Amino acid sequence: QVQLQESGGGSVRSGGSLRLSCVASGYYDNTYCMAWFRQAPGKEREGVGYIVSGTSAVAADSVKGRFTISQDNANNTLYLQMDSLKPEDTAMYYCAAARLRYYSCSYFFAGGPSSFGTWGQGTQVTVSS
């Protein structure tokens, strides 16, 4: 069983930056697809991006060029660096994990939140104008 714990959320002004962290514990290894999702009030949960150990991260078009996903394998930590934040980035941010067996990480990510079986509790990001 893998557990995920996010941190780093907060309130910032438009144009500011935040870095979110997600620490994986339990039976975690580098064979997981790790992803960030977010959910704004009244909206569906949407994918922000994903990464697999040893490969490049992929960001969704809505955040490409502003958000960067990275991973510290030594500390089992996933990061989401968010720059040039906008009020529309306000949401609860979640990290998620899916075990890679027969499908690629891009396949899981394209399948949406239901493709991921392990979730953190979320961390709130609020961007004011």
Side-chain angles (χ1 to χ4, degrees):
Q1 187 79 358
V2 173
Q3 294 84 39
L4 303 175
Q5 178 72 51
E6 303 98 334
S7 62
S11 297
V12 296
R13 300 287 295 272
S14 181
S17 297
L18 281 174
R19 189 176 80 157
L20 307 184
S21 300
C22 171
V23 178
S25 60
Y27 292 102
Y28 174 80
D29 57 29
N30 294 334
T31 64
Y32 279 84
C33 169
M34 301 297 295
W36 287 100
F37 287 81
R38 65 184 181 184
Q39 188 166 20
K43 295 188 176 182
E44 292 186 355
R45 194 168 295 189
E46 67 168 346
V48 175
Y50 64 89
I51 189 170
V52 177
S53 178
T55 69
S56 299
V58 177
D61 289 343
S62 58
V63 302
K64 196 169 293 183
R66 299 188 299 121
F67 290 10
T68 303
I69 296 170
S70 61
Q71 197 171 29
D72 179 353
N73 292 326
N75 293 301
N76 292 343
T77 303
L78 176 72
Y79 297 103
L80 178 64
Q81 176 66 42
M82 304 185 294
D83 299 316
S84 302
L85 282 161
K86 305 175 181 179
E88 51 263 43
D89 295 318
T90 294
M92 185 73 80
Y93 283 72
Y94 300 89
C95 65
R99 191 71 183 268
L100 291 169
R101 286 197 177 98
Y102 307 111
Y103 302 103
S104 66
C105 197
S106 60
Y107 176 89
F108 281 112
F109 192 73
S114 62
S115 297
F116 290 80
T118 302
W119 292 84
Q121 86 291 344
T123 186
Q124 177 68 39
V125 172
T126 303
V127 184
S128 59
S129 57

